[in-house]
Amino acid sequence: MGPAPVVIAGAGPVGLATALLLARWRVPTVVLEAAARRDPSGSKAICFQRDVLDILDRVGVAAPMLSEGVTWTTGRTYFREHELFSVTFSRAEVPPWINISQARVEELLCARVAAEPRVDLRYGSAVIGYREDEDGVEVLTREGPVRGTHLVGADGPRSAVRRLAGIDFPGRSFADLFLICDIKASLPFPSERRFYFDPPWNPGRQVLVHQCPDSVWRIDWQVPPGFDPGTADLDAMIRRITGSLPYEIVWLTVYRFHSRVAAAFGRGRVFVAGDAAHLFAPFGARGLNSGLQDAENLAWKLALVRQGAPAALLDSYELERRAAALVNLAVTAKTMEFLVPQSPEQWEWRRRVLERAVDDPEARRSIDSGKLAEPYWYVDSPLTTRSSVPVPAEPGAARPPVPGVICPDARVRGGRLRQRFGAGFVVLVARKDRVAAAGSAVAGVAPVEVVALTDLGVDTALLGAATDSVHLVRPDGHLAAVLPAFSAAALAAALRRATGHEPDGQRRVL
């Protein structure tokens, strides 16, 4: 009889990634999926952000995603026939964005699960209840109970786990309708994100166009109230984009958007993640990208607690990821206020801004067609050894490599720096002669690798490293501490703090 598993409800990308991330820590899981089989239809989420690709690399699916996906670095915004502005992301070894369907990513994750003996995936097994005690959780299904140490609800917007845990899901759902239509066509457009306000072929509303693999194009229309794809002239709508070129409809759906964040991300031994924990408007790709960050944040903490770390470490999951969700909620809510104004005054303000923006660069600063996803910064987390360096909070701002911020990536000997993360903590020392002392300072607390920056060949300027500095990196790639000079005691304290051993009030500011 092996160790008790972590039980995960939901076999979407977040649930499967959670299971595979736990498997890296040698933690067994049972994944319970209510559906009888995987649904391969539709693209659903398509935009995967650079930092999230690092998570997917750790579970073994980033390489085929990068091989198949469509890379893009530029997003353009138009008003009627005018291009207002463009945003270009820097190129790197891992591209800033790739487009690939959620269905394909789920397929890749399922293939990894099938090859991973520590993951037991069960379709047609809905969670109908659970009983929690001091030793674990008994999860109830119609096929019988499943015993585990913890339960993770990654079971989507209508989460059974969230409901059974009694966790509220406040927020709002909007009446505005959008049509997603995936078409297969050979269109002469570049691989870019193209957002159109009030185009002649959808007056008064907007359209978003993305290229996907295999000559598939995602077209996202705002449509009028009462829109019915069964009676609408879809061909005329699509011809406005394709012209006379042949096309094939691959998938379509009509949806409303939602803005909700769960009142709690955990209750006892039960947690929620992904769409079970938060729902955002899709413009900005902050939904699934954020859900995968939930998965990694929770997985390494569950693994360490099972190895003996304080149970209080799991409290930081809600503190960190709910804070991230609330920022995403605020950012996307502001976007939707501009995209679908909810009052005549807001509509009039938007019209004036867009018309002025044709000739006025300053007016373009007020246009919001979606602030694209980015990692959250855990500067206020109880796990972080705080820095006095301020971190800008506005969307898209460049953030310095200080505690709480995700560690910058760099080319190192044998690969990329971030490819060293995920299996434990990493201590990066500026001086090679500090490796042994650093190793002694952190021994016995958690899995830790100590490495000298000189051995890696890292550009120290990228990390803001000083001649004797120390960077402590969490398993999810976020900086837990940056010590300006080596101190065995300060490093040991930072690691204990990052593993939940010290209360918030004892954090040191460097």
Side-chain angles (χ1 to χ4, degrees):
M1 193 78 173
V6 170
V7 182
I8 300 169
V14 174
L16 295 172
T18 303
L20 290 167
L21 288 162
L22 284 166
R24 283 173 54 90
W25 291 84
R26 300 182 178 277
V27 174
T29 56
V30 176
V31 182
L32 305 174
E33 170 54 53
R37 62 188 62 83
R38 184 179 68 83
D39 179 7
S41 63
S43 56
K44 300 169 188 164
I46 61 167
C47 296
F48 291 84
Q49 191 261 353
R50 171 187 290 152
D51 304 287
V52 173
L53 290 169
D54 287 319
I55 300 173
L56 293 164
D57 189 39
R58 290 193 266 277
V59 299
V61 300
M65 288 175 63
L66 288 166
S67 175
E68 298 175 24
V70 173
T71 297
W72 58 278
T73 59
T74 300
R76 300 185 188 277
T77 298
Y78 299 83
F79 172 56
R80 296 176 182 159
E81 69 274 18
H82 308 283
E83 180 177 345
L84 299 181
F85 58 86
S86 65
V87 177
T88 299
F89 300 88
S90 62
R91 292 184 178 271
E93 189 168 346
V94 178
W97 292 94
I98 67 164
N99 290 351
I100 187 170
S101 74
Q102 176 180 324
R104 176 57 178 151
V105 175
E106 288 179 1
E107 183 180 15
L108 292 169
L109 289 167
C110 281
R112 296 293 297 179
V113 163
E116 174 51 69
R118 293 187 178 90
V119 181
D120 178 2
L121 173 56
R122 305 178 187 179
Y123 283 100
S125 190
V127 173
I128 58 175
Y130 72 85
R131 292 188 286 263
E132 181 178 347
D133 56 44
E134 62 182 14
D135 297 319
V137 181
E138 186 175 63
V139 181
L140 307 178
T141 74
R142 290 185 176 84
E143 296 74 37
V146 180
R147 183 76 185 177
T149 61
H150 301 83
L151 171 61
V152 178
D155 48 344
R158 297 179 177 85
S159 171
V161 172
R162 188 186 64 237
R163 174 179 53 80
L164 291 166
I167 297 174
D168 290 337
F169 202 31
R172 61 182 298 195
S173 299
F174 292 76
D176 306 88
L177 291 179
F178 291 82
L179 167 69
I180 290 175
C181 190
D182 291 349
I183 65 167
K184 190 162 190 173
S186 296
L187 302 182
F189 302 151
S191 300
E192 299 174 340
R193 178 188 193 262
R194 293 189 161 211
F195 195 101
Y196 298 86
F197 285 104
D198 194 19
W201 27 277
N202 197 28
R205 297 182 174 86
Q206 49 259 344
V207 177
L208 175 63
V209 180
H210 271 286
Q211 185 181 6
C212 295
D214 301 321
S215 299
V216 172
W217 295 81
R218 154 73 69 85
I219 309 172
D220 200 325
W221 284 273
Q222 184 187 7
V223 292
F227 178 86
D228 181 356
T231 57
D233 189 349
L234 293 178
D235 180 68
M237 295 172 66
I238 294 168
R239 289 288 176 203
R240 295 279 191 162
I241 298 171
T242 65
S244 60
L245 294 171
Y247 72 88
E248 172 192 353
I249 295 178
V250 178
W251 179 71
L252 62 83
T253 188
V254 176
Y255 72 93
R256 292 181 171 86
F257 68 90
H258 311 271
S259 294
R260 297 181 181 275
V261 172
F265 277 27
R267 185 152 292 172
R269 291 175 174 267
V270 178
F271 303 89
V272 291
D275 284 354
H278 45 72
L279 292 174
F280 311 124
F283 299 97
R286 290 173 177 259
L288 180 52
N289 283 294
S290 182
L292 290 166
Q293 290 161 342
D294 294 345
E296 183 163 49
N297 188 292
L298 181 57
W300 72 264
K301 294 171 182 177
L302 284 170
L304 287 187
V305 167
R306 286 170 58 104
Q307 291 179 9
L313 175 61
L314 289 167
D315 295 340
S316 69
Y317 169 67
E318 175 173 319
L319 292 172
E320 293 182 345
R321 294 310 303 160
R322 191 166 186 273
L326 291 172
V327 167
N328 285 328
L329 186 77
V331 170
T332 54
K334 188 174 181 181
T335 295
M336 298 318 290
E337 285 178 6
F338 195 85
L339 297 189
V340 285
Q342 300 296 302
S343 71
E345 293 78 15
Q346 288 179 339
W347 275 110
E348 178 60 20
W349 179 79
R350 189 185 90 149
R351 183 190 64 77
R352 290 200 307 268
V353 166
L354 288 169
E355 290 179 348
R356 283 174 40 223
V358 173
D359 301 307
D360 181 0
E362 187 62 29
R364 295 169 196 165
R365 296 168 61 88
S366 299
I367 294 173
D368 190 343
S369 58
K371 305 295 186 184
L372 292 167
E374 57 189 331
Y376 187 63
W377 47 101
Y378 304 132
V379 293
D380 295 322
S381 169
L383 308 188
T384 300
T385 299
R386 287 184 176 177
S387 166
S388 58
V389 178
V391 176
E394 57 269 21
R399 298 185 176 87
V402 299
V405 175
I406 197 165
C407 183
D409 199 11
R411 191 71 193 168
V412 300
R413 296 187 181 100
R416 295 186 296 111
L417 179 59
R418 288 188 184 173
Q419 289 175 321
R420 302 189 75 100
F421 305 155
F425 284 81
V426 175
V427 177
L428 302 171
V429 292
R431 283 172 44 181
K432 188 171 183 176
D433 61 351
R434 298 295 196 191
V435 171
S440 297
V442 298
V445 179
V448 182
E449 178 190 19
V450 181
V451 62
L453 293 176
T454 52
D455 287 341
L456 293 173
V458 175
D459 179 2
T460 56
L462 184 73
L463 295 173
T467 56
D468 195 24
S469 60
V470 180
H471 291 69
L472 176 62
V473 186
R474 302 175 2 162
D476 56 11
H478 284 259
L479 292 163
V482 178
L483 309 181
F486 178 81
S487 162
L491 176 58
L495 180 60
R496 288 182 59 79
R497 185 174 301 114
T499 52
H501 284 85
E502 291 188 15
D504 179 78
Q506 295 182 26
R507 278 187 289 163
R508 181 182 174 196
V509 178
L510 298 172

